[in-house]
Amino acid sequence: MTHAPDTARVITLVLVDDHPVVRDGLRGMFASAPGFEVLGEAADGVAGVETTVRLDPDVVLMDLRMPGGGGVAAIAELTRRGARSRVLVLTTYDTDSDTLPAIEAGATGYLLKDAPRDELFTAVRAAADGRTVLSPAVASRLVSRVRTPASPGHESLSARECEVLGLVARGTSNREIAAELFISEATVKTHLTHVFAKLGAKDRAAAVAVAYERGILG
């Protein structure tokens, strides 16, 4: 059974980017779409942390490279402070040196600024629900850094494990996966534990990255 999205819910955001034009563009974009409210913005990571702590948004759209305080340090500080807000990185950079530190610092997702408008909206909704969001291009760049050092042979995933991982890659929550596959949430978690072990991945984002690289997810 497919559940309709909760259209009554308003997702609150804080925008952190050092370019005023980018912030203005994002603010206008979200203002034109129902279900979103931009609470505030900041021009660097340090101000971004303080603004996020003060306004407590559902999602923070975080750039990475900013004068006066970068995004990775800001994400790590928000994680250290136990902030409720989910951080979705939105940047022009997809190099290994940018992507993995952001994910390791605690980012829920990572998108590039050329992502289509609807993809961005979907990603923000997913991030607000705590779901991992990685564009395929970013996922593939993560692989060389998340793969375990010693893995002479790759244990193959079962058909069901592939099915579960495919849904994870689409940003589906454990509860939604359970409903779609007619299994319990506990079974979903068991499948994911096996997937992580077989792929040498520590979490959902890393598992999706490895799966893209190996061709498991296309």
Side-chain angles (χ1 to χ4, degrees):
M1 181 178 177
T2 303
H3 298 282
D6 183 5
T7 52
R9 179 188 179 192
V10 175
I11 295 173
T12 55
L13 298 105
V14 160
L15 312 176
V16 184
D17 195 292
D18 60 317
H19 293 101
V21 172
V22 172
R23 297 198 306 272
D24 289 346
L26 288 170
R27 182 181 281 276
M29 188 185 302
F30 284 106
S32 69
F36 300 103
E37 180 186 359
V38 176
L39 299 181
E41 54 187 69
D44 60 62
V46 174
V49 169
E50 297 308 319
T51 302
T52 299
V53 170
R54 177 167 53 86
L55 299 178
D56 189 34
D58 296 314
V59 176
V60 180
L61 280 182
M62 180 79 71
D63 193 12
L64 286 186
R65 301 186 188 180
M66 297 173 286
V72 172
I75 296 167
E77 178 62 14
L78 287 171
T79 300
R80 189 188 70 79
R81 294 196 189 190
R84 177 188 70 87
S85 308
R86 306 287 184 173
V87 179
L88 179 60
V89 172
L90 186 64
T91 183
T92 55
Y93 303 102
D94 66 346
T95 62
D96 293 345
S97 61
D98 290 300
T99 51
L100 190 64
I103 297 296
E104 288 183 333
T108 296
Y110 198 116
L111 284 183
L112 300 182
K113 285 182 178 176
D114 60 1
R117 168 192 176 105
D118 288 343
E119 183 179 329
L120 178 58
F121 291 160
T122 299
V124 168
R125 292 188 187 100
D129 289 336
R131 290 178 271 157
T132 299
V133 183
L134 289 178
S135 68
V138 169
S140 65
R141 303 223 31 119
L142 285 170
V143 177
S144 62
R145 301 283 296 279
V146 299
R147 189 186 284 144
T148 50
S151 53
H154 300 319
E155 192 176 350
S156 60
L157 302 185
S158 69
R160 179 62 95 185
E161 288 164 355
C162 287
E163 205 170 7
V164 170
L165 186 57
L167 290 169
V168 168
R170 282 160 40 192
T172 313
S173 68
N174 285 359
R175 178 180 297 179
E176 291 166 334
I177 292 172
E180 184 156 337
L181 300 182
F182 301 100
I183 57 180
S184 69
E185 282 190 66
T187 300
V188 172
K189 290 176 182 177
T190 298
H191 283 315
L192 285 175
T193 298
H194 293 161
V195 168
F196 295 163
K198 289 180 178 181
L199 297 183
K202 65 178 183 179
D203 57 26
R204 296 163 80 96
V208 170
V210 173
Y212 272 116
E213 174 66 14
R214 295 186 188 170
I216 297 171
L217 294 179

